[in-house]
Amino acid sequence: MNSSPIGVFDSGVGGLSLLRELRRLLPNEDFIYYGDRANAPYGAKTHEEILEISKGIVNVLLSRGAKAIVVACNTATAVAIEPLRAAYEGLPIIGIEPAVKPARVSGCRRVLVLATPVTVSESRFAALLRANSKDNCEFIGVPCHELAFMVESGASSEDIEEYLRSVFAPYRADGFDGIVLGCTHYPLVLDEIKRAAGENVSVFDGSDGTARHTKHLLEELSINSLSRKIGNIEFISSDGSDHLERFYQKISK
Ligand code: DGL
């Protein structure tokens, strides 16, 4: 079990931002990364579709010997994490959620939580925002209809920045001092987000917290790798391309 790989999945390149953190913290683990580019974006799919797709991917990862699953997608986590845990009892399944608590603790007052339309409409998301809307901190869920697709399809920096300016425009009058990245595609355009948001806006990403949680859980269950060698990463793309691998090389330099 200790030497088995960790299965990680997302609709495409987004989850690579989390894989990068996992790899940094767990260099001796083997990973299988499944990017479901044939079905991206998940943010425009129904619950039923996302749940069915997620189960299909977990089955593929299990058939390849995964000892644990990391759902490197906020949308699939919001929709499917509980049903997945119920369907695969005993299998460690870790999800990623928007880093709202770090934003509140840091003293931000008005925070935009950017996510896919599906994530923003989930009760799990609303509950998370409600639970953290205290200590004079207000969270606002902002659905970004285009952003994951733009990142996935390689839109230019200029187009992404322009899109983001239009997303932020309605919140300018009352101002905002924090942004939480509630989709794993968004850390991949961090520079564009920072430029469009302007100075004095702090940006929070949940991938390091999720990677830390994964490490603790593996150790607690005594299924962490005991190897001293640098682990392998295998990439599987449902569209058959080698895009994921190339993208990962680029972002992990
Ligand atoms: N990267 C995903 C997320 O974290 C999904 C984006 C999409 O496919 O719409 O929500």
Side-chain angles (χ1 to χ4, degrees), residues 10-11 41-43 73-75 116 119 148 183-185:
D10 178 45
S11 62
Y42 287 175
C73 172
N74 293 76
T75 309
T116 68
T119 302
C183 168
T184 52
H185 278 72

Side-chain angles (χ1 to χ4, degrees), residues 13 16-17 20 188 246-253:
V13 296
L16 296 174
S17 62
R20 182 173 54 184
L188 301 172
R246 283 188 287 114
F247 201 99
Y248 186 73
Q249 303 301 349
K250 206 168 72 190
I251 66 162
S252 56
K253 268 187 195 141

Side-chain angles (χ1 to χ4, degrees), residues 9 51 54-55 58 71 80-89 93:
F9 77 90
L51 183 54
S54 300
K55 280 187 180 161
V58 172
V71 184
I81 197 89
E82 296 306 340
L84 285 178
R85 285 181 180 145
Y88 299 91
E89 221 181 301
I93 304 181

Side-chain angles (χ1 to χ4, degrees), residues 178-215:
I179 289 178
V180 172
L181 307 180
C183 168
T184 52
H185 278 72
Y186 304 168
L188 301 172
V189 286
L190 183 63
D191 291 344
E192 289 81 353
I193 291 171
K194 283 185 172 164
R195 278 201 300 272
E199 276 171 27
N200 306 323
V201 176
S202 309
V203 181
F204 301 88
D205 171 18
S207 39
D208 56 338
T210 308
R212 267 185 277 121
H213 176 60
T214 304
K215 183 173 191 287

